[in-house]
Amino acid sequence: MKQRLLLMVLALGMCSISGGAQTKKQPAKRQATTTRSTQQGGQVMKFRQVEEDDGYVWYLLKRGNLYGARDEDGNNIVPIKYDGVSYECFSGNCTRFFCVRKGEYKGAYTRMGTLVISPDRHYEEITLDGNDLGMIFWRVKKKGVKGTIILDAKGREIFTLDCDDASMGAKGDCAYIWFWRGDMFGISDLNGNVVLPLCEIKYPSPYKGNDGSWYVKVNGEEKVNYSDLTKFDYKPYENLFWIKKTSSSSSSSSITSSSTASSSGNSNSNSSNSGGGTTTVVVEHHRDPIPVQEWQACFGCGGMGTMGCDNCGGSGTKYIGDRLHRCSRCNGQGIIPCNICYGSKGKYVTVYR
């Protein structure tokens, strides 16, 4: 009888130990699930951007350490998966695109959200260039490749030049690519054929001969035939090229003439209207732009003066070890004063109108 009682006590003790061990494991599992959920999610913050050159309005998106872009109508342009996003607008050659960065490599999106150049192609520098005929091409630099790589408008590689840089030119209805290295200049046609190798002729350009063909002068007298026919696509699409607005600071006038037939039987015609013609002069006056002060909202916070906390990602809480604590930077509010305007929401700038 004593042996049975002893066995029953031992059995109850083992059951209590086993139950206590199972109870301790459950909180550890719940805590791991919560941590993974917090890391996978995250608040998306957006910052309103207004470009000075073309007035384009868009939103920079941020989730954690990744960035994307959205237009003013709410359409996603660049997915939130890059280390950096910037809007590149060059008024000199009237080109614009979204440049994205993934590590040390760059890519390009159109404003309609089309990926033209992927960062996976390992380009370290990307520039879009155009000419007066409205044609565009890309100039890129690649790690481990000497010189400049030329791409057509759709991102197809045309050729690589051993040069410092290249640009697209136009003369009349003829387009060409001219490149340089130091004080040496050269010309290539649109198929990547070098028509004029690097030489000391500064800023060479094709010219049209009496036979209607285009030529390039070499060494003064020698002529090399040039063709602007191409198998590549240089036509801009999806707003990669924009027409720059021109303004005139001086007064201009336009003259329109309207003729009225005089009657052959009228012998009393005015001598100032010889031939029966009447001239109407219309003068349009344009005043010089004057400086005015205009309020410009901060590009970092969109004029709100605050931004999401960069310490807790806008959640107001942060894990330290395995415990959830209130964020010390924002005091649990999830927002902090803007790092750009420091809460002033913007500034006044001088513009000319």
Side-chain angles (χ1 to χ4, degrees):
M1 188 66 178
K2 292 181 179 180
Q3 292 180 349
R4 290 181 181 180
L5 290 174
L6 181 61
L7 290 174
M8 291 177 63
V9 170
L10 291 174
L12 289 173
M14 293 180 65
C15 290
S16 63
I17 293 173
S18 176
Q22 291 179 358
T23 305
K24 291 181 181 179
K25 290 181 181 179
Q26 290 178 359
K29 289 183 180 179
R30 287 196 298 270
Q31 181 178 341
T33 303
T34 304
T35 303
R36 285 197 299 268
S37 176
T38 302
Q39 291 175 351
Q40 291 175 357
Q43 180 182 3
V44 176
M45 296 178 287
K46 64 178 184 179
F47 310 97
R48 190 172 184 266
Q49 313 289 323
V50 181
E51 302 300 327
E52 293 184 0
D53 282 340
D54 60 352
Y56 182 61
V57 179
W58 61 287
Y59 288 90
L60 177 66
L61 306 179
K62 181 182 180 183
R63 182 171 58 210
N65 294 324
L66 298 179
Y67 295 86
R70 182 181 298 166
D71 65 14
E72 193 176 17
D73 297 326
N75 301 312
N76 290 325
I77 303 172
V78 179
I80 310 176
K81 65 176 185 178
Y82 295 103
D83 298 326
V85 176
S86 61
Y87 182 72
E88 304 293 333
C89 180
F90 301 100
S91 57
N93 53 23
C94 303
T95 56
R96 55 191 178 186
F97 66 96
F98 278 96
C99 182
V100 298
R101 181 175 56 83
K102 187 177 181 181
E104 58 182 326
Y105 303 119
K106 296 181 179 180
Y109 280 78
T110 69
R111 296 200 319 178
M112 307 300 290
T114 300
L115 176 62
V116 182
I117 302 175
S118 172
D120 297 334
R121 297 171 66 172
H122 293 180
Y123 295 139
E124 294 181 308
E125 297 180 19
I126 294 179
T127 304
L128 185 60
D129 196 10
N131 63 10
D132 294 337
L133 300 178
M135 304 173 68
I136 61 172
F137 76 103
W138 301 86
R139 308 192 314 267
V140 299
K141 301 279 189 178
K142 192 171 186 178
K143 189 173 184 178
V145 177
K146 183 181 180 181
T148 301
I149 302 175
I150 306 298
L151 317 178
D152 70 358
K154 297 295 180 66
R156 295 181 298 174
E157 287 195 8
I158 302 173
F159 63 113
T160 304
L161 289 169
D162 184 11
C163 64
D164 296 336
D165 211 340
S167 184
M168 176 170 273
K171 187 174 183 180
D173 56 353
C174 179
Y176 57 92
I177 297 172
W178 62 282
F179 53 96
W180 63 91
R181 186 176 63 204
D183 295 332
M184 308 285 282
F185 294 83
I187 283 184
S188 165
D189 65 14
L190 300 182
N191 285 317
N193 303 312
V194 176
V195 178
L196 177 63
L198 287 169
C199 62
E200 295 182 355
I201 302 175
K202 194 170 185 179
Y203 305 117
S205 63
Y207 70 97
K208 200 167 189 176
N210 295 329
D211 58 354
S213 299
W214 286 91
Y215 295 90
V216 178
K217 281 187 178 181
V218 180
N219 298 327
E221 297 297 331
E222 186 180 356
K223 300 176 181 179
V224 178
N225 198 356
Y226 172 89
S227 174
D228 59 352
L229 299 177
T230 177
K231 61 183 178 181
F232 292 99
D233 190 353
Y234 294 91
K235 297 178 181 179
Y237 68 105
E238 295 188 4
N239 291 326
L240 283 174
F241 189 87
W242 60 293
I243 303 299
K244 183 170 59 174
K245 295 180 180 180
T246 58
S247 60
S248 174
S249 60
S250 61
S251 299
S252 62
S253 63
S254 62
I255 302 177
T256 60
S257 299
S258 60
S259 298
T260 57
S262 61
S263 173
S264 59
N266 184 6
S267 59
N268 295 324
S269 60
N270 194 320
S271 59
S272 63
N273 292 333
S274 59
T278 302
T279 302
T280 304
V281 180
V282 180
V283 180
E284 297 177 355
H285 296 280
H286 298 274
R287 64 172 174 82
D288 292 334
I290 58 175
V292 295
Q293 293 293 311
E294 183 179 82
W295 174 259
Q296 186 178 80
C298 172
F299 69 89
C301 62
M304 299 185 64
T306 59
M307 60 188 302
C309 178
D310 52 7
N311 186 46
C312 63
S315 64
T317 57
K318 187 176 181 180
Y319 272 98
I320 301 178
D322 58 352
R323 297 186 63 184
L324 189 64
H325 295 265
R326 177 186 295 178
C327 176
S328 59
R329 178 168 171 77
C330 65
N331 196 27
Q333 301 299 315
I335 58 174
I336 58 175
C338 176
N339 291 331
I340 306 299
C341 65
Y342 302 102
S344 63
K345 301 183 180 181
K347 61 180 180 180
Y348 281 99
V349 296
T350 302
V351 296
Y352 291 85
R353 292 180 177 175

